[in-house]
Amino acid sequence: MQIGRLNLEIPIVMGILNVTPDSFSDGGRFLARDNALRQAEAMLRSGASIIDVGGESTRPGAKPVSEAEEIERVVPIIEAIHNMTDVPVSIDTSKAGVMRAAVEAGAAMINDVRALREADALAAAADLGVAICLMHMQGRPRTMQNEPHYEDVTLEVREFLASRLQSCIDAGIDREHIVLDPGFGFGKSYRHNVELLMNLRQLTDLGQPLMVGLSRKSMLGEMTGGDTGDRMPASVAAAVIAVQEGANILRVHDVAETVDALKVTQAIAKARQD
Ligand code: 7PM
């Protein structure tokens, strides 16, 4: 697997960096940039192995963002992070133009919740030659949580990912560059999410590294009763379980806490081997 110089033999943490100034009362774009960079520095100090920069919200009901606006949000941040560290930057986008601008600015990975199904995205990704995360989603962000339905969620997610993986390989993308993600919370009920986490192992035989995003998600709120701000311990527990079920990359908000928890799982996993 090749994402920059990352070693995926041990589980690693991807820090989430949202650059979405959805409040006009916060001083606008420049303050948003400043905050984002401060947050990136903190995540790097905490041991993040990848920084995932996103300028579009996939939240149900969020306003669509134009390609130009998305580029204007993410490119300066990617450039700044790229200039301060060797830690690879990932661009969270579905738009071909944003992928191109982000890689030009230094991004080493594309994280696409639509798995390169938007116009020109597959060709752009093949062209750019960087690592790619393909995520499963049922439906579209605006309506995906209305009535998610599966006969067998694990099997259907697996078949979708296998099919997108094949499309990437057919487009000339190197298998070594592809990471797969079941897309927790994306067109899935509480029960679907629980079943997917329980059966995560069944995705490992697709032969690609697995990424999971469980951080602060609503399934954890349903388990604990906590609001998004109070879901850190639940998120850390979920990350540890995901790693024990075969996850390689954990996409999280709380980098320091997750890195620490994974050191514990790693110490025990290593002791088991010795
Ligand atoms: C509202 C709804 C706000 C959903 C934020 C989210 C994933 C991702 C996201 C994931 C990959 C969040 C999500 N989730 N990319 N982007 N995997 N690869 O909670 O699970 O961060 S956005």
Side-chain angles (χ1 to χ4, degrees), residues 175-241:
R175 185 185 280 278
E176 291 283 299
H177 279 165
I178 302 173
V179 176
L180 304 177
D181 184 332
F184 286 100
F186 284 84
K188 289 154 190 109
S189 68
Y190 174 80
R191 192 180 55 81
H192 296 141
N193 288 315
V194 169
E195 203 168 308
L196 263 178
L197 182 52
M198 185 172 73
N199 295 328
L200 196 65
R201 278 265 164 231
Q202 293 176 31
L203 302 178
T204 55
D205 64 348
L206 291 167
Q208 304 303 128
L210 296 183
M211 172 144 112
V212 303
L214 287 156
S215 187
R216 301 185 187 174
K217 284 192 176 169
S218 68
M219 64 182 288
L220 304 177
E222 292 202 36
M223 291 174 187
T224 61
D227 245 337
T228 46
D230 309 320
R231 292 178 190 165
M232 186 274 284
S235 300
V236 171
V240 167
I241 292 166

Side-chain angles (χ1 to χ4, degrees), residues 3-5 49-53 71 74-92 97-110 128-131:
I3 310 172
R5 284 174 289 279
S49 298
I50 313 178
I51 306 284
D52 189 39
V53 177
I71 289 172
V74 299
V75 161
I77 304 295
I78 294 169
E79 278 172 349
I81 300 171
H82 185 60
N83 285 332
M84 78 193 177
T85 178
D86 284 339
V87 167
V89 176
S90 156
I91 174 66
D92 184 343
V98 180
M99 294 172 188
R100 291 209 166 86
V103 172
E104 171 86 10
M109 181 177 197
I110 295 164
L128 293 166
V130 295

Side-chain angles (χ1 to χ4, degrees), residues 16 18 52 57-60 92 111-113 133 135 144 181 183-184 186 211-217 251 253:
I16 301 170
N18 284 317
D52 189 39
S57 178
T58 42
R59 193 180 312 122
D92 184 343
N111 171 28
D112 184 5
V113 299
C133 178
M135 197 197 78
M144 65 189 177
D181 184 332
F184 286 100
F186 284 84
M211 172 144 112
V212 303
L214 287 156
S215 187
R216 301 185 187 174
K217 284 192 176 169
R251 183 180 178 278
H253 299 89

